[in-house]
Amino acid sequence: MIKGLYREPTRSEIIELAAEEGHDADIPTNAGSIQNTPGNRSPTPKQAADGEKQSNLEFEKDIEKGLRPESLSSEEHGEEQSEESDPNIVWWDGPNDPQNPMNWPFIKKWGTVILVSAITFLTPLASSMFAPGVPEVMKTFHSTDDMLEGFMVSVYVLGFAFGPLIIAPLSEMYGRLPLYHSCNVCFMIFTIAAAVSSDMGMFIAFRFFMGCFGGAPLVLGGGTIADLIPREQRGTAMVVWMMGPTIGPCVGPIIGGYLTEARGWRWNFWFVAILAGAFTIMSMILMKETSGPVILERKTKRLREETGNLKLKSQLDSGLSPKHLFIFSIVRPTKMLTRSTICFIMSVYVAITYAYLYILFTTFTAVYTNQYGWHGGSVGLSFLGLGVGSLLGQFVFTHWGNKTVTKHIQQGDFKPEHRLYIMAQGGFFLPVGLFWYGWSVHAQTHFMVPIVGTGFVGYGLLTAFMPANTYLVDVFTVHAASAMAANTVLRSLCAALIPLSSQKMYAALGYGWGNSLLGFVSLLLVPVPFLLIKYGERIRARSTVKL
């Protein structure tokens, strides 16, 4: 019933697991909290939030120093078995405890991974699926406002900026499963509401709430996989899960183009709602809670009732009140963005490039309709280049990027800036793709020429996003989730708001010079990863950022 023999988790294991679960490492993962590793025994985060001193915690004093050499080895602190003397600490009933999600049967574990990956594919798919039907929506609501034409697509990603800030702390309090179920149901409800909207304001509001609740699997999915799959086998599951955010927004318009032509724009939402309903029912039947802290907390409550011992406490108890979880979830990312040089630079870089993706999403239909006379389902095919480029970018990052990092780790000279080599070379593809796409559309060359250009754009975007996330994890370690949340909020705001002026930009400058303007801005960003590779370590060494 109580904790017996167990292996003391290493610092690197806890930090890695916390990043995958989407929270900072001073909030317990399935492996425990960073504050309970040897040498870091400390007051709880609640005590820190209440103003008590934590002078013995270096990572609380300065958050921007990057990985320590010892955190690169899974052998730190040794692999020996230790025994906790406190009989009131509740832990798993041995290494084969069936309550531990790591010990679930193969089919149950991978069935959960596949279902979560399917839901994670659906919500990004919905972000752009109806883009080819935007002109039909404008006709239905008798609107000619160019700004609204773009905003009805990008407002979805605005929800991605705010929803996760609430979903993340709620999942720490109540577990992943209630959040999956409630957000799936709300996503389905607001998708149906968008399908039956009777005016533009109603439609945009429902799209926003779709994004808020649709962000749940993006927040929770990595943690679910980390709950179920051992570290050594996690790479495959993570690649499957990441396919949704990578190709969903690009595949969606292809489906939506033909669906709009056949049944009208509202059926894009009915299609998503039907799939969401099916996944919701399946998840309610098949999915179980996977969060170790929540499972052990429930076990602790049950044992208290059975034994009458009120001193029993879960090994993974965070000691945090709901209030402090919300403070950490909302205040920390804000502090990261405004006080950390590295986080600010990286977030601005990613936000601008991400905004370009939604500029293309909101204008492809008009571009290919006006310049190439495409109509109906064929308009969705214009998104194909972005999809192929994104897939290629993900493959190159996974293979070549990891190979480069592994080499430096083996040499013993790894530093977080080594993550940026692939971003440095990928940065050139974005301006090349924008110039290529803009002037080929302007000259009305064969339609495959601009589509190939957008393939370069897709490749450049992926080689910016993926290294940025891994770099933030390596730099901020304990507080990586807050850094990534800051990055997500800023990029979502930019992706929602910057595309609002894209139609006016193209009207004033044309497709050639309009996309060239975007290309020149992206050219100004090309030196950023090179500068961080050269000076990033120095910036971090001089950093005095405190949370």
Side-chain angles (χ1 to χ4, degrees):
M1 290 191 303
I2 62 173
K3 180 181 167 186
L5 293 177
Y6 76 103
R7 180 176 69 79
E8 190 75 54
T10 64
R11 185 176 188 275
S12 63
E13 287 174 342
I14 291 175
I15 290 172
E16 179 185 347
L17 190 56
E20 290 171 350
E21 291 183 3
H23 59 75
D24 290 343
D26 50 2
I27 297 172
T29 66
N30 287 343
S33 168
I34 190 69
Q35 305 204 41
N36 291 324
T37 55
N40 277 336
R41 307 296 181 191
S42 63
T44 66
K46 182 177 185 300
Q47 292 170 323
D50 289 339
E52 297 190 17
K53 290 184 179 180
Q54 265 187 308
S55 58
N56 60 321
L57 285 180
E58 178 187 348
F59 57 80
E60 282 291 345
K61 292 179 182 177
D62 192 346
I63 63 173
E64 213 172 32
K65 296 302 186 199
L67 281 174
R68 293 163 180 76
E70 69 270 13
S71 69
L72 297 176
S73 171
S74 62
E75 303 299 320
E76 65 179 284
H77 308 314
E79 297 290 335
E80 71 277 0
Q81 301 288 327
S82 62
E83 185 169 359
E84 193 71 35
S85 58
D86 189 350
N88 293 316
I89 298 297
V90 178
W91 188 239
W92 306 114
D93 295 335
N96 299 316
D97 187 347
Q99 291 188 71
N100 187 342
M102 285 286 183
N103 296 324
W104 286 1
F106 178 88
I107 293 178
K108 185 178 180 180
K109 286 204 291 188
W110 282 95
T112 301
V113 169
I114 291 171
L115 183 54
V116 168
S117 298
I119 298 171
T120 310
F121 174 77
L122 179 63
T123 51
L125 181 93
S127 69
S128 60
M129 183 174 173
F130 91 107
V134 165
E136 299 299 319
V137 180
M138 298 294 286
K139 289 178 184 177
T140 300
F141 297 136
H142 309 290
S143 176
T144 57
D145 191 325
D146 289 342
M147 187 173 291
L148 286 179
E149 187 173 352
F151 191 53
M152 71 171 71
V153 177
S154 62
V155 69
Y156 187 94
V157 81
L158 189 62
F160 280 1
F162 297 103
L165 293 178
I166 306 299
I167 292 168
L170 287 176
S171 70
E172 300 301 326
M173 286 185 279
Y174 304 111
R176 307 194 206 286
L177 197 62
L179 270 297
Y180 273 122
H181 292 340
S182 58
C183 289
N184 284 345
V185 169
C186 290
F187 176 77
M188 180 176 62
I189 290 172
F190 284 110
T191 301
I192 293 172
V196 298
S197 298
S198 57
D199 61 61
M200 183 67 79
M202 185 185 297
F203 177 77
I204 289 176
F206 292 145
R207 281 277 293 172
F208 170 75
F209 285 112
M210 282 176 65
C212 285
F213 293 105
L218 300 173
V219 176
L220 304 173
T224 300
I225 292 171
D227 293 340
L228 295 166
I229 310 299
R231 188 182 190 186
E232 299 76 19
Q233 304 171 15
R234 206 172 291 156
T236 302
M238 282 294 186
V239 168
V240 172
W241 176 64
M242 282 301 297
M243 292 291 279
T246 301
I247 67 173
C250 302
V251 172
I254 299 174
I255 300 172
Y258 288 103
L259 193 56
T260 299
E261 183 180 31
R263 302 301 300 270
W265 67 266
R266 295 184 190 272
W267 262 93
N268 287 290
F269 295 92
W270 286 118
F271 176 81
V272 172
I274 290 168
L275 288 180
F279 290 150
T280 299
I281 293 171
M282 292 171 64
S283 65
M284 288 181 174
I285 296 172
L286 301 175
M287 286 179 64
K288 305 295 181 185
E289 182 59 64
T290 63
S291 173
V294 172
I295 294 172
L296 285 174
E297 185 58 37
R298 292 173 183 171
K299 178 179 179 179
T300 303
K301 289 180 179 178
R302 186 179 72 252
L303 291 174
R304 286 187 194 129
E305 294 175 0
E306 292 175 357
T307 64
N309 183 1
L310 300 181
K311 295 181 179 179
L312 291 176
K313 182 180 180 182
S314 166
Q315 166 68 14
L316 302 182
D317 183 11
S318 68
L320 284 168
S321 67
K323 173 185 174 182
H324 291 121
L325 278 171
F326 273 104
I327 289 174
F328 286 173
S329 179
I330 296 172
V331 174
R332 275 183 174 178
T334 305
K335 288 183 176 180
M336 286 277 198
L337 195 58
T338 56
R339 299 181 183 181
S340 166
T341 305
I342 292 290
C343 185
F344 178 76
I345 292 173
M346 192 56 61
S347 297
V348 169
Y349 183 99
V350 171
I352 293 173
T353 55
Y354 196 61
Y356 287 175
L357 179 65
Y358 276 84
I359 287 175
L360 297 180
F361 280 164
T362 56
T363 58
F364 267 176
T365 301
V367 168
Y368 282 87
T369 299
N370 295 336
Q371 297 297 98
Y372 291 97
W374 288 14
H375 296 284
S378 57
V379 174
L381 297 174
S382 60
F383 293 77
L384 197 58
L386 277 175
V388 173
S390 298
L391 275 177
L392 184 60
Q394 185 177 30
F395 173 78
V396 171
F397 168 77
T398 303
H399 178 72
W400 188 71
N402 289 343
K403 187 177 180 180
T404 302
V405 169
T406 301
K407 182 186 73 173
H408 285 285
I409 290 176
Q410 291 173 346
Q411 292 174 353
D413 63 349
F414 174 80
K415 57 183 181 179
E417 283 70 30
H418 288 131
R419 298 282 190 187
L420 300 180
Y421 288 166
I422 194 168
M423 180 186 280
Q425 60 89 13
F428 291 99
F429 283 82
L430 188 56
V432 168
L434 288 167
F435 291 133
W436 185 324
Y437 164 69
W439 288 107
S440 60
V441 166
H442 177 81
Q444 292 184 305
T445 58
H446 188 275
F447 65 82
M448 276 304 299
V449 178
I451 286 178
V452 171
T454 57
F456 280 82
V457 174
Y459 179 86
L461 291 173
L462 253 290
T463 52
F465 302 157
M466 304 294 280
N469 281 337
T470 53
Y471 179 62
L472 291 175
V473 171
D474 287 347
V475 167
F476 295 99
T477 58
V478 174
H479 300 102
S482 291
M484 289 191 289
N487 182 295
T488 299
V489 169
L490 186 62
R491 84 181 187 201
S492 298
L493 287 172
C494 289
L497 301 177
I498 290 177
L500 299 184
S501 59
S502 55
Q503 292 282 23
K504 291 183 179 179
M505 177 189 70
Y506 286 138
L509 300 177
Y511 295 124
W513 283 112
N515 284 290
S516 292
L517 176 61
L518 303 180
F520 289 133
V521 173
S522 64
L523 271 178
L524 294 176
L525 297 176
V526 167
V528 170
F530 289 97
L531 291 173
L532 287 176
I533 289 170
K534 186 172 183 179
Y535 300 109
E537 191 171 16
R538 247 179 276 180
I539 294 173
R540 292 187 287 108
R542 296 176 182 175
S543 167
T544 56
V545 178
K546 299 179 182 179
L547 287 182

